[in-house]
Amino acid sequence: MSMTPGREPRPAARPAWVMPAGLAVMAAIYLGAFRYQVLPLWPSMTVVAALSWWVAWHPELPARLRPGRRLVVMGLASGLVLDLGFALGALVARQTPLWPAVERVADLVRGSAPVPVAAALILLVTSPGEEVLWRGAVFARLARRLGPGWGPVVGSTLLYALFVGLSGSLVLPLAACVCGAVWARQRQVTGSLVPGLVSHATWALSVYLLVPGVPRA
């Protein structure tokens, strides 16, 4: 089954209440892991990713995840461009009051699991989970309601940033606005989740490993 840009699937296979209920549970876990730090970070993010797949499941989802050379190259290219932009941004942010917020997030993420474990989870668990939820199910629901155009891109990006903002950090929602807009637009143009998934994993792993000036556990 091929996916064409602009055509969104029929209503989700899950009942309508599943998405808001799932998002509410995920928000509670996110708050506990990031803002209040009463839950272990990486196990919590694994549960959130599993819930994301459950909420987002649709018979057409496998087709939107079918890889192709052009889609993978597009994702790698956008991921590397985002990496470069955020690396330069980190160098600038080190000279501003924003840098302590960057360090707090990095310390939490890097201090919660050994580097190989966290890297594997970023690549295989958290990045795919976020893409199937926000650029998959949420984007599709907004596109059915708002139609083609920038509405679904803007709407899904703002909702993504608001959710990430539950972390209590200014840094993560700012990053979500930039990256989420890129990944949502790729989703809209290609009809596929592959470019965003590859870009997301590339960007997130690079930021985790290479943000300058922040030590790794």
Side-chain angles (χ1 to χ4, degrees):
M1 182 190 303
S2 61
M3 293 288 99
T4 55
R7 186 182 75 81
E8 293 306 324
R10 297 177 298 278
R14 303 297 188 197
W17 60 266
V18 166
M19 182 179 291
L23 287 172
V25 174
M26 285 184 261
I29 296 172
Y30 208 82
L31 282 167
F34 270 100
R35 178 169 292 190
Y36 301 115
Q37 298 180 29
V38 296
L39 297 174
L41 179 66
W42 288 109
S44 297
M45 294 303 98
T46 301
V47 172
V48 168
L51 285 170
S52 297
W53 281 94
W54 182 72
V55 168
W57 172 253
H58 189 280
E60 294 187 358
L61 181 59
R64 293 197 182 274
L65 292 168
R66 187 172 298 136
R69 180 177 298 179
R70 180 179 67 88
L71 298 173
V72 172
V73 169
M74 180 186 297
L76 284 172
S78 65
L80 292 173
V81 170
L82 288 172
D83 288 339
L84 178 60
F86 275 81
L88 294 173
L91 292 174
V92 174
R94 290 182 69 181
Q95 314 305 319
T96 72
L98 189 62
W99 188 246
V102 175
E103 291 182 309
R104 284 193 294 272
V105 173
D107 287 344
L108 174 62
V109 172
R110 290 171 175 170
S112 300
V115 170
V117 173
L121 289 172
I122 288 169
L123 285 174
L124 303 175
V125 177
T126 60
S127 296
E130 289 191 10
E131 288 308 303
V132 298
L133 176 63
W134 297 104
R135 265 64 65 180
V138 172
F139 185 96
R141 179 169 290 194
L142 290 174
R144 289 193 298 270
R145 293 189 176 186
L146 302 177
W150 286 97
V153 174
V154 174
S156 62
T157 300
L158 289 178
L159 289 173
Y160 178 50
L162 287 171
F163 183 88
V164 172
L166 294 172
S167 64
S169 169
L170 287 174
V171 175
L172 293 180
L174 288 174
C177 282
V178 176
C179 295
V182 172
W183 299 331
R185 181 59 177 164
Q186 288 181 320
R187 159 73 164 82
Q188 185 178 57
V189 169
T190 66
S192 172
L193 293 172
V194 172
L197 196 157
V198 173
S199 179
H200 192 150
T202 301
W203 169 81
L205 183 63
S206 176
V207 168
Y208 172 75
L209 294 173
L210 301 177
V211 169
V214 181
R216 277 163 290 282

